[in-house]
């Protein structure tokens, strides 16, 4: 398994990253802020319009397999830096064959979506257990999601599966506002590109962190993160990473968003409205989210397939490895991560 190391997040505009021996040097307006050994890094991720990196650092990251990603302030991926393609060419060829076979691809996609709906259902069940006053509101959706799981597993086409997933997501988010305690945060429905309220802005930002982790995990095991099984090919879209992250949206991303809001770690003034009408996190608020994200990934969770405890940050890497084993033929079926 891939060892879970650290990620360097850079959020200040005008920051410059450079190579200094075997370390990455971080500078702002010519002033050296810190140095970190490359051997301690798994990834470097920036959030801003004017954050740069030297060609020498880019080359060093590509050579060492350190994922270097540049995102806009909202967390939307702009580009990655990579060197020569790594991984087993036979594995990738088999992945492409699987993606081109609609029924085989559907079998894996159904397991991923069923796991996503089950994990969303578990989030609601846990909240209902801890907050009795919400049980009356959440119970009908919990029942509907159980039906959606069965429908997902019986789906006979990608279009049908997408329909099931879309309906389940709509029902799940229809009661999301009841899970948010602070009165100054409201949520009506999921929206993006750009998000038009603070809750959606926060969801989009955390989803982007999860997507990049999934992409790194898939590339690390030798898979092509752009060739999805449910999310079909589109230029610039990491289809397989979007497939893989479905299982982790509820336990990793959405639980974190609820925790940040309900513990009042973020306030209304931590978000700003742009001229386009979109809403995004301010710089200091992004740091709060990134710190909480790393803390969440350090939490322990029991993996039902491995039957052992792991950190939540290891989940994308382990599931990527299991997916690769299924594609190779070592596993008869892909075992998704179902949170208990």
């Amino acid at each position: 398994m891939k060892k879970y190391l650290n990620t360097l997040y850079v959020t200040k505009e005008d920051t410059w990253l450079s190579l200094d021996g075997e370390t990455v040097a971080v500078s702002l307006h010519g002033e050296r802020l810190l140095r970190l050994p490359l051997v301690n890094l798994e990834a470097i991720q920036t959030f801003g319009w004017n954050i740069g990196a030297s060609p020498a650092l880019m080359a060093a990251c590509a050579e060492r397999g350190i994922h270097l990603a540049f995102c806009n302030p909202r967390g939307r991926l702009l580009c990655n830096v990579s060197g020569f393609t790594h991984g087993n060419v036979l594995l990738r060829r088999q992945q492409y064959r699987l993606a081109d076979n609609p029924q085989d691809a559907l079998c894996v996609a159904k397991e991923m979506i069923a796991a996503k709906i089950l994990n969303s259902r578990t989030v609601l069940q846990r909240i209902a257990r801890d907050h009795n006053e919400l049980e009356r509101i959440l119970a009908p959706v919990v029942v509907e999601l159980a039906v959606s799981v069965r429908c997902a597993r019986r789906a006979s086409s990608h279009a049908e599966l997408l329909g099931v997933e879309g309906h389940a997501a709509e029902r799940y988010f229809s009661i999301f506002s009841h899970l948010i305690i602070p009165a100054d945060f409201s949520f009506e429905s999921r929206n993006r590109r750009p998000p038009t309220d603070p809750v959606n802005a926060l969801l989009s930002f955390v989803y982007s962190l999860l997507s990049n982790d999934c992409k790194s995990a898939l590339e690390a095991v030798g898979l092509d993160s752009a060739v999805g099984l449910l999310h079909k090919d589109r230029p610039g879209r990491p289809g397989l990473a979007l497939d893989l992250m479905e299982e982790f949206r509820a336990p990793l991303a959405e639980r974190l968003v609820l925790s940040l809001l309900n513990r009042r770690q973020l306030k209304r003034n931590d978000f700003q409205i742009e001229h386009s009408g979109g809403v995004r996190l301010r710089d200091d608020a992004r740091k709060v989210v990134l710190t909480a994200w790393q803390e969440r990934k350090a939490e322990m969770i029991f993996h039902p397939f491995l039957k052992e405890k792991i950190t939540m940050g290891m989940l994308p890497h382990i599931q990527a490895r299991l997916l690769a084993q299924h594609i190779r033929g070592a596993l008869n079926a892909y075992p998704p991560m179902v949170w208990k």
Side-chain angles (χ1 to χ4, degrees):
M1 289 295 172
K2 184 177 178 62
K3 186 179 180 182
Y4 176 57
L5 299 174
N6 294 321
T7 299
L8 171 63
Y9 295 104
V10 183
T11 62
K12 280 188 176 294
E13 294 284 4
D14 302 319
T15 300
W16 178 252
L17 308 174
S18 59
L19 183 66
D20 185 356
E22 289 297 309
T23 69
V24 53
V26 183
S27 304
L28 181 65
H29 302 304
E31 179 184 353
R32 181 68 55 84
L33 300 181
L34 75 141
R35 292 171 58 209
L36 290 173
L38 289 173
V39 70
N40 291 338
L41 290 176
E42 179 187 61
I44 301 173
Q45 195 166 339
T46 75
F47 300 90
W49 294 114
N50 195 32
I51 299 174
S54 70
L57 177 64
M58 294 182 189
C61 288
E63 181 181 353
R64 292 165 175 77
I66 298 172
H67 186 69
L68 177 54
F70 295 89
C71 302
N72 72 9
R74 287 199 192 94
R76 184 169 181 266
L77 182 66
L78 299 173
C79 67
N80 291 309
V81 174
S82 60
F84 293 106
T85 300
H86 298 286
N88 188 332
V89 64
L90 298 180
L91 173 63
R92 293 198 178 215
R93 282 181 177 273
Q94 193 61 32
Q95 176 192 352
Y96 302 148
R97 293 188 188 101
L98 174 64
D100 288 339
N101 185 312
Q103 287 307 309
D104 289 348
L106 181 63
C107 287
V108 179
K110 288 195 294 186
E111 291 302 320
M112 291 176 167
I113 295 304
K116 173 190 178 176
I117 300 171
L118 279 170
N119 292 339
S120 299
R121 184 172 181 265
T122 299
V123 166
L124 298 185
Q125 287 176 310
R126 287 196 172 196
I127 292 173
R129 182 188 63 197
D130 296 337
H131 302 274
N132 292 333
E133 70 278 10
L134 293 176
E135 186 173 3
R136 179 181 59 83
I137 297 170
L138 303 185
V141 179
V142 168
V143 172
E144 286 189 56
L145 293 183
V147 175
S148 293
V149 171
R150 294 193 291 271
C151 291
R153 287 174 170 159
R154 291 198 302 262
S156 59
S157 68
H158 279 79
E160 184 180 352
L161 182 60
L162 285 170
V164 171
E165 187 274 335
H167 176 73
E170 187 275 328
R171 295 300 297 134
Y172 173 74
F173 280 116
S174 71
I175 46 84
F176 204 72
S177 61
H178 296 283
L179 313 181
I180 301 170
I181 297 173
D184 51 346
F185 287 104
S186 61
F187 181 88
E188 294 183 5
S189 62
R190 180 78 181 109
N191 62 69
R192 54 196 183 276
R193 300 194 188 111
T196 56
D197 62 79
V199 178
N200 274 294
L202 184 55
L203 282 168
S204 291
F205 185 73
V206 176
Y207 286 154
S208 72
L209 299 176
L210 178 57
S211 172
N212 281 318
D213 281 1
C214 289
K215 179 175 181 179
S216 297
L218 291 164
E219 295 287 344
V221 300
L223 291 169
D224 188 336
S225 63
V227 180
L229 305 176
L230 178 64
H231 294 83
K232 293 305 182 181
D233 298 353
R234 183 185 299 173
R237 182 168 75 171
L240 192 60
L242 296 178
D243 291 348
L244 186 65
M245 71 179 280
E246 297 289 9
E247 303 167 32
F248 315 126
R249 285 181 183 266
L252 251 175
E254 288 145 20
R255 284 183 67 233
L256 178 63
V257 166
L258 292 172
S259 294
L260 287 166
L261 297 177
N262 292 340
R263 292 175 182 172
R264 293 176 168 81
Q265 292 174 264
L266 294 174
K267 304 292 191 301
R268 184 82 185 191
N269 59 8
D270 286 321
F271 299 83
Q272 68 181 54
I273 301 176
E274 300 181 315
H275 295 300
S276 63
V279 176
R280 74 175 181 90
L281 282 160
R282 297 183 184 276
D283 290 349
D284 289 344
R286 286 205 300 269
K287 294 176 185 176
V288 172
V289 177
L290 292 170
T291 299
W293 176 249
Q294 291 292 64
E295 291 172 351
R296 176 56 54 89
K297 292 202 299 183
E299 292 179 7
M300 302 301 293
I301 188 172
F302 182 79
H303 194 286
F305 185 80
L306 299 182
K307 300 189 184 306
E308 61 181 84
K309 285 189 174 183
I310 61 169
T311 62
M312 294 192 80
M314 279 292 294
L315 284 175
H317 297 282
I318 288 172
Q319 292 306 124
R321 183 73 62 182
L322 292 173
L323 179 59
Q325 289 181 358
H326 169 60
I327 291 173
R328 286 193 183 99
L331 292 174
N332 291 332
Y334 169 69
M337 172 61 201
V338 177
W339 186 49
K340 301 295 186 181

